[in-house]
Amino acid sequence: MDENTKKRLDQQFAFIREIDREKFIGRQTYLSDGRRKENDAEHAWHMAIMTMLLSEYANEPIDVLHTIGMLLIHDLVEIDAGDTYAYDEEGKKTQADREKKAADRIYGLLPEEQGKMLYDLWLEFEAQKTPEAKFARVMDNLQPMMLNAATDGKAWVEHGVHLAQIMKRNEHTAEYSEILMEYAREMFIQPNLDNGHIIEDEKK
């Protein structure tokens, strides 16, 4: 094996070893049996398969493999930055800076052109401009919503989540997938409003 190949493989395996740490990054969403919370790697795997199955409901055609790639790598920055809970307004103030530093370091472990490819995928997800990034966001919102519903709103109850917070987080979901947002409203949100697991603010 020549030195250039060995160096390239060293970089690639350094990255591959590093991303194993994603399995230790805990999220606030419980697994469907409610016994423990999921980790980032489980979240990414789940969304990747969801994209394979649900892409037909995107409002505009998407490149499924490109979207899956985006979902598999976009939370790797949380290895350094940690998971910022969807409704943690204080944490969100520093999230962008923490994640940018993490992206520079983690994607920088790879050979330059591969690091740039993944960094660009991460930027694409964050920018929410392409059909693929938009659908990836739908998956990122829908997957925890589904698990919350499967656990009788366990994490929603623990965090005292309001309907207004959920709707704010999903303000663009219908623009990207009208059918999936309609399904989520009917199957995930409304039942948890009806049983009081989501707080519905008084109408003024």
Side-chain angles (χ1 to χ4, degrees):
M1 182 185 303
D2 65 73
E3 280 303 308
N4 286 337
T5 301
K6 182 182 182 302
K7 180 183 176 184
R8 183 174 176 84
L9 279 165
D10 283 345
Q11 290 175 302
Q12 290 166 327
F13 274 103
F15 175 82
I16 290 164
R17 278 191 299 272
E18 182 68 9
I19 66 172
D20 182 69
R21 293 173 60 198
E22 189 181 35
K23 300 170 188 174
F24 297 98
I25 306 302
R27 292 170 49 79
Q28 292 302 311
T29 309
Y30 284 91
L31 299 181
S32 56
D33 67 357
R35 292 184 183 179
R36 71 166 174 88
K37 294 174 180 178
E38 69 175 353
N39 64 52
D40 267 358
E42 292 167 329
H43 173 60
W45 161 82
H46 217 170
M47 291 186 297
I49 294 179
M50 286 172 63
T51 300
M52 291 172 63
L53 301 176
L54 302 176
S55 60
E56 64 189 283
Y57 304 112
N59 283 359
E60 50 190 324
I62 62 166
D63 180 327
V64 172
L65 186 58
H66 187 80
T67 308
I68 288 173
M70 200 181 303
L71 286 167
L72 288 175
I73 65 92
H74 85 279
D75 274 343
L76 293 179
V77 294
E78 294 185 358
I79 290 169
D80 288 357
D83 175 60
T84 302
Y85 182 53
Y87 307 116
D88 177 5
E89 298 307 319
E90 197 60 35
K92 286 180 184 177
K93 292 176 183 176
T94 61
Q95 183 179 7
D97 183 56
R98 285 183 284 116
E99 292 187 351
K100 168 70 167 59
K101 288 176 182 173
D104 289 341
R105 184 189 75 80
I106 295 166
Y107 301 130
L109 294 171
L110 282 164
E112 186 175 354
E113 87 287 355
Q114 287 189 327
K116 184 179 186 307
M117 176 182 69
L118 297 195
Y119 197 99
D120 287 348
L121 264 182
W122 175 71
L123 289 176
E124 181 182 347
F125 177 85
E126 293 298 312
Q128 296 292 289
K129 299 294 185 187
T130 65
E132 288 76 18
K134 292 173 181 178
F135 194 75
R137 178 66 75 186
V138 172
M139 297 295 95
D140 203 26
N141 290 345
L142 201 66
Q143 188 263 358
M145 200 188 302
M146 173 195 66
L147 288 178
N148 270 308
T151 56
D152 290 325
K154 188 170 182 176
W156 283 330
V157 171
E158 284 183 1
H159 292 277
V161 172
H162 290 241
L163 175 62
Q165 292 174 289
I166 296 172
M167 298 314 295
K168 174 66 177 172
R169 181 168 171 80
N170 287 277
E171 61 184 336
H172 297 297
T173 300
E175 293 173 36
Y176 308 155
S177 177
E178 189 173 348
I179 291 174
L180 290 178
M181 187 61 203
E182 182 182 347
Y183 187 86
R185 279 174 178 270
E186 182 179 333
M187 302 302 295
F188 305 151
I189 297 173
Q190 193 59 50
N192 282 279
L193 275 172
D194 294 342
N195 62 24
H197 295 157
I198 298 170
I199 300 168
E200 185 166 15
D201 298 302
E202 293 289 331
K203 293 181 174 65
K204 294 179 181 178

